[in-house]
Amino acid sequence: ARLPRLGGSADFAALPGDRPVYLYGASRGGRILQLELARWGNLVLAGFLDGLRTGEAWGLPVTPPEPVAETLRGATVIISSQYVSEIARRLSPLGIADPYNAYPFITRQLRAGEP
């Protein structure tokens, strides 16, 4: 299934502001999205998800999605990695069927020379 995409800054305005946001991917793409989310006062970044690492990134927790699956079902999950299909397949059995694909936004920012 085609995931909802975030391609430009205006797309972030349409995100629901009544739930926490988790970014799947705690590397450069995650940092780009963290900086963009900070521009929107109604969006609260709760942490990062990652399949390979745990700990902390840019002041927020990093965890695999499985231990926090119940929390994620009531959150906005945004994929901040080029491995969109693989990540979506990992999230689907956890009940997260429609994460946002922010890779188009990330690639646009990288081409423009953003962080």
Side-chain angles (χ1 to χ4, degrees):
R2 188 157 230 203
L3 299 177
R5 291 176 175 247
L6 300 172
S9 291
D11 294 332
F12 287 84
L15 291 174
D18 61 344
R19 51 184 143 171
V21 176
Y22 286 86
L23 300 177
Y24 198 117
S27 61
R28 189 171 185 191
R31 179 64 173 162
I32 289 169
L33 292 181
Q34 180 185 29
L35 294 171
E36 179 63 29
L37 289 169
R39 296 178 53 208
W40 300 93
N42 64 322
L43 301 174
V44 177
L45 180 56
F48 293 94
L49 306 169
D50 203 288
L52 301 175
R53 64 186 263 209
T54 59
E56 188 177 294
W58 301 289
L60 292 169
V62 180
T63 184
E66 290 80 6
V68 293
E70 190 167 326
T71 300
L72 295 178
R73 287 186 211 109
T76 298
V77 178
I78 302 173
I79 299 174
S80 57
S81 167
Q82 66 182 339
Y83 303 106
V84 176
S85 297
E86 294 89 341
I87 292 169
R89 281 194 294 274
R90 183 172 183 170
L91 293 173
S92 183
L94 303 177
I96 298 101
D98 292 318
Y100 289 86
N101 173 6
Y103 194 62
F105 178 82
I106 293 165
T107 57
R108 182 172 283 137
Q109 295 299 104
L110 291 171
R111 282 189 207 122
E114 296 296 318

